[in-house]
Amino acid sequence: MTVFEASTGSGETPPADAVAPRDSSADAPTSVARLNATIRDFVARWNTVWVEGEITSWNVRGGNIFARLKDTRSDAQISIRVWSSVRPRIPGDLAVGDHVVAAVKADYFVKAGDFSFAVSAMKHVGLGDQLEKLEKLRLQLRQEGLFDPARKKRLPFLPHVIGLITSEKSDAEKDVHRNAELRWPQVRFRTEYAAVQGDRCVPETLAALARLDADPDVDVIVIARGGGDPQTLLGFSDERLVRAVAAASTPIVSAIGHENDHPLLDDVADLRASTPTDAAKRVVPDVSEQRALIAQLRSRATTRLTQRLSHDIAQLEQLRSRPSLRSPDPIIESRSQDVWLLLSRGRDTIRRQHDAAGRATSELRASLRALSPAATLSRGYAIAHLDGGVILRDAADAPAGSGLTITVDRGSIAARSEGEIEEAPVPRSG
């Protein structure tokens, strides 16, 4: 502590450092240093207090944080300092716009005459338990597969009607309409208004989602709102809304807050857009880009077709230049003589084979005729048959009175056996 000592004689004006602020006058003023030291000593006796407010500025310099807190119901503000030694004890995601409570102690800098508060602790208002519950719910939904990329539906290339869920007359609605119409002027919207924070947020959003999902003309649904602190975005992490989005048959785009905002709706939606403007750019194509792409494709197709035609014409000209196509008559005439010779040779070969086959057939016919029983009969022989067509081979089989059929060269005659004839002995030559 600075010590101020009086060193004046009787009847002399004391130096400014020797005059306490409460004893100062126009003739005996106090010094700035004495005034600041008095203020510092007075402020140092204040205890630490907990204060609630909204962060309006947040600057990091040299490891320390210099920020300002604004009252949530008025324009009153205070300056706060978070020293580097305290930073590890406060949440690392604090940012401008966050609603917080902080433990602060008044601090007055004598040299600069600045009044501020040193922060010893800080946390989000009411978000501790809620954030813990959200993380548990996030883990549960992930385990159920609701965040699986495989279940996410693809957005249509050019939707006929875009369903939009947002608050009425909001900047998010204007951003989506303006940017989508700039990219594709003929785009059509069906907008359902709903509260985007507070107790009405979840039921109104669920009702709007059900109406749009049931409309067969709506090809994609965008749920959009501007940024905000985590407290105001809690409705878009509600389990009822998250499960309804997962069960919807229409592709859904989440466009909640800014890039750093991350409600559960972002994880379950078929597409997460960083902002409402980004959502508008991703649900409809850019007409100028599509026209440029069509022109490029037409140019490429024309080039490929021209190259193909040129190649085919060159091949055709090459084929036409060959002797076989340029003058085919000599080739045909030379081949016709070969055909005539082959035809004549074939006819001679067939004729010789036919004659040889005829002779072989005649020989076989003669051999067959010679071996045939009919040929034997023609030489004067006869065949005797018993009743029933059995050929008589033994005279003993035809006793006297047996009926016989005698077959000769020309016809058959009926006869009756007189019995077996004794064979006369054959005379022997002397």
Side-chain angles (χ1 to χ4, degrees), residues 343-402:
L343 182 59
S344 298
R345 188 179 303 167
R347 286 174 177 173
D348 291 342
T349 301
I350 292 174
R351 188 180 297 110
R352 287 196 301 270
Q353 291 178 349
H354 182 270
D355 293 343
R359 289 192 298 271
T361 301
S362 298
E363 293 174 359
L364 291 173
R365 185 181 291 112
S367 299
L368 182 61
R369 186 178 294 113
L371 297 175
S372 172
T376 303
L377 294 176
S378 65
R379 293 198 300 271
Y381 290 93
I383 299 175
H385 297 269
L386 295 174
D387 293 340
V390 179
I391 298 176
L392 181 62
R393 290 182 173 82
D394 189 347
D397 294 334
S402 299

